[in-house]
Amino acid sequence: MNLFSYLFQDWAANPKNIKGRFVLFLFRLVQVISRYTLLKIIFILYLAFYHYYVEWVLGIELPRKLTVGKGLMLYHGQALVVNQGVVMGEGCTLRNSVTIGHKKLADGTFSGCPRIGNHVDIGANVCIIGDVEIGDHVTIGAGAVVTKSVPAHSTVVGNPARILEKKSGEAQI
């Protein structure tokens, strides 16, 4: 993949979403710069700009070490927090006020971060915490709090999250 296609890999997933396109372009650029020590030195002002503007001004925490597949879609990115240890697949959708990260365990240590499959649609105000795995083609309803793994092709809602239906036709609770 050449640099141009890498930087614009989320462009088609965010049609008519100028803010989403802009933030994801800045995110992909900071990822390229972070790969090489020399680029980090040369572009230290850009790294500071990204940290200040995207995280502080826009309120979108997409760390430069985050692993995300192509086609990430951002809707109303305010108050979006994703831990740098999270791994997300291709074609995922994130909405406002989403928090994805580890949790503090009883012994004071931290759990692993969530692993999110391909084409996962995450609703507004969702919290996904802990060492959980979200399967491919999962829809997580607004306000859900996910602390357990979710199988592929499921719809999840509620606090605590429960499987509402399996998209293959099997209903589960």
Side-chain angles (χ1 to χ4, degrees):
M1 181 182 295
N2 67 36
L3 180 61
F4 183 80
S5 60
Y6 180 81
L7 293 175
F8 291 98
Q9 66 182 300
D10 306 304
W11 203 263
N14 292 277
K16 299 181 183 177
N17 181 355
I18 295 168
K19 179 181 177 184
R21 284 179 168 184
F22 180 65
V23 168
L24 289 169
F25 174 81
L26 295 176
F27 169 66
R28 296 300 182 178
L29 183 56
V30 82
Q31 284 189 313
V32 169
I33 293 168
S34 295
R35 289 182 189 164
Y36 306 100
T37 305
L38 182 60
L39 288 179
K40 284 192 259 187
I41 293 168
I42 293 170
F43 292 102
I44 193 161
L45 291 177
Y46 177 77
L47 295 175
F49 164 78
Y50 177 84
H51 182 71
Y52 170 75
Y53 185 71
V54 174
E55 293 187 13
W56 286 71
V57 174
L58 296 179
I60 301 172
E61 289 189 34
L62 291 173
R64 59 190 171 99
K65 294 180 182 179
L66 178 64
T67 303
V68 179
K70 68 180 181 178
L72 179 62
M73 190 179 316
L74 290 183
Y75 285 122
H76 312 292
Q78 298 296 351
L80 176 65
V81 178
V82 182
N83 185 289
Q84 72 180 8
V86 171
V87 176
M88 295 180 70
E90 295 182 0
C92 292
T93 301
L94 297 174
R95 289 181 178 78
N96 58 300
S97 301
V98 168
T99 300
I100 306 173
H102 61 254
K103 66 180 178 181
K104 191 171 186 178
L105 303 173
D107 64 0
T109 62
F110 291 96
S111 71
C113 288
R115 294 162 311 284
I116 298 172
N118 297 319
H119 307 287
V120 176
D121 190 342
I122 302 172
N125 300 308
V126 167
C127 186
I128 304 171
I129 55 172
D131 189 10
V132 299
E133 187 163 339
I134 310 298
D136 295 342
H137 302 281
V138 169
T139 300
I140 302 174
V145 177
V146 181
T147 59
K148 295 182 179 163
S149 293
V150 177
H153 303 284
S154 299
T155 299
V156 179
V157 297
N159 179 6
R162 69 189 191 320
I163 298 172
L164 185 64
E165 66 182 28
K166 212 155 156 74
K167 293 177 187 172
S168 64
E170 301 174 35
Q172 293 186 353
I173 296 185

